[in-house]
Amino acid sequence: MPDLSRPVGAIDLGGTSVRAAVVDVNGGIAGFVAGATEASQGPDAVIDRIVAVLHESLARASVRTSDLAAVGIGAPGPLDWATGVIHEAPNLPGWKEVPLAARIGDALGLPAFLENDANAAALAEWQYGVGRGAMNMLYITVSTGVGGGLILDGELWHGAYGSAGEFGHMTVDFEGPLCDCGNRGCIEAIAAGPDIAAWVVDQIAVGRSSSLSGQTDLSGRDVVEAAQQGDALAVSALERAGRAVGFGVINVAHLVNLDTVVIGGGIANAGDLLFDPLRSTVREHLLESTAPNLRLEPWSLGENVGLLGAAAAARSRLVGGS
């Protein structure tokens, strides 16, 4: 039986940055380090960088590699959490069938476990954050994309093929905007940062006024900031996004009887501008008998959610023995 009192090395791999830290059994973080992914250099170079960033984290935390129980890695997918292989990653060029967990584990001489980043975030909020105590919880990340992770009956739910939780690709408007996945009206196509920005640009093009008019390379962050400053069109964009996420929450709650929903990601930082329309949509349309006391909560762990999730995933796998 592994010594679960020992710390875990945590890696949060993204398209632009690699973050690493040492996480103790209570969720305490030490030795935080962030570096550029430099994904264009390909998988081998990125894996070398991951190992280097983790070694730097260990040095800062005054922890030896041999002190760790394991390493947990949160990464974008599609991926196979059981085998530790990333099948493909849109923001990581050249990543096709990369056995990331094995490569990291071999480099460090430790057990290494891979988990989808949204699933890892769900575990983090459930074990260390606002989702503690929930038995049936949905975590949603609303950022450059929209993803999700499910805790059902107190366990992370992977589904038959390991891809459960694709909240962003639930259809909420079958005649809606085209999504990158090829379907129409996905939540992601309405609520993700780039899609919020694209909708604002389209509205300006047909004559709606906005302080964002004429701005090039508009981002979701720009829309959030404009809404916070009172721009009516930006406020409408976030209301539209909030309603889309709200209807997705309703569909999942009706299906699996949720008790808690946690919403995180960069767009969630809009606060009530996103949460007010989200909550009002759920309040108006949710069958009360399905979830009479459904909690809707903003994330509590912020940018640490990926690291804590990677650590939580590793500890869960150690306990499970796989």
Side-chain angles (χ1 to χ4, degrees):
M1 181 71 179
D3 183 357
L4 298 178
S5 68
R6 292 161 63 190
V8 168
I11 297 164
D12 182 11
L13 173 62
T16 58
S17 67
V18 178
R19 296 154 55 88
V22 177
V23 180
D24 67 26
V25 69
N26 297 312
I29 290 176
F32 172 77
V33 176
T37 305
E38 299 183 25
S40 62
Q41 295 182 8
D44 290 344
V46 172
I47 291 169
D48 288 345
R49 194 162 295 109
I50 291 170
V51 173
V53 168
L54 184 58
H55 277 307
E56 184 180 348
S57 173
L58 292 169
R60 289 190 183 186
S62 298
V63 172
R64 298 170 299 180
T65 306
S66 59
D67 293 331
L68 299 178
V71 175
I73 309 155
L79 57 79
D80 186 329
W81 66 277
T83 63
V85 173
I86 293 184
H87 296 310
E88 185 179 6
N91 294 324
L92 298 171
W95 285 62
K96 298 283 187 180
E97 306 303 326
V98 177
L100 182 60
R103 294 280 301 272
I104 297 297
D106 289 346
L108 297 168
L110 290 167
F113 302 103
L114 179 66
E115 185 56 83
N116 172 272
D117 48 11
N119 282 344
L123 273 176
E125 286 288 357
W126 182 63
Q127 291 196 7
Y128 303 119
V130 71
R132 278 179 293 185
M135 284 299 293
N136 297 284
M137 187 194 95
L138 169 65
Y139 176 84
I140 305 164
T141 180
V142 188
S143 188
T144 304
V146 176
L150 277 167
I151 305 292
L152 297 181
D153 289 335
E155 299 284 346
L156 179 63
W157 186 256
H158 286 102
Y161 303 105
S163 59
E166 285 290 352
F167 180 85
H169 296 294
M170 295 174 60
T171 297
V172 291
D173 179 0
F174 64 85
E175 294 181 337
L178 185 66
C179 182
D180 289 341
C181 75
N183 290 324
R184 286 196 173 274
C186 293
I187 296 168
E188 181 166 297
I190 299 170
D195 298 278
I196 290 172
W199 183 82
V200 168
V201 170
D202 289 345
Q203 295 300 303
I204 291 171
V206 296
R208 293 188 66 176
S209 62
S210 171
S211 61
L212 297 168
S213 181
Q215 187 167 326
T216 58
D217 298 323
L218 197 66
S219 69
R221 183 190 298 268
D222 296 327
V223 176
V224 170
E225 290 176 353
Q228 290 170 336
Q229 294 166 13
D231 184 274
L233 182 58
V235 169
S236 294
L238 292 175
E239 288 176 345
R240 180 172 175 267
R243 288 196 301 273
V245 174
F247 278 112
V249 167
I250 290 165
N251 290 336
V252 178
H254 284 172
L255 185 66
V256 299
N257 233 195
L258 297 171
D259 54 57
T260 304
V261 179
V262 181
I263 301 102
I267 301 301
N269 291 331
D272 289 343
L273 290 164
L274 180 76
F275 279 88
D276 281 353
L278 193 166
R279 287 192 172 107
S280 64
T281 298
V282 172
R283 186 168 56 249
E284 291 168 15
H285 298 283
L286 181 70
L287 293 174
E288 186 176 355
S289 59
T290 300
N293 299 302
L294 181 64
R295 289 197 299 141
L296 292 171
E297 304 285 354
W299 61 344
S300 61
L301 302 176
E303 299 301 328
N304 287 330
V305 73
L307 289 169
L308 289 171
R315 290 190 181 281
S316 176
R317 298 285 293 282
L318 285 170
V319 170
S322 63

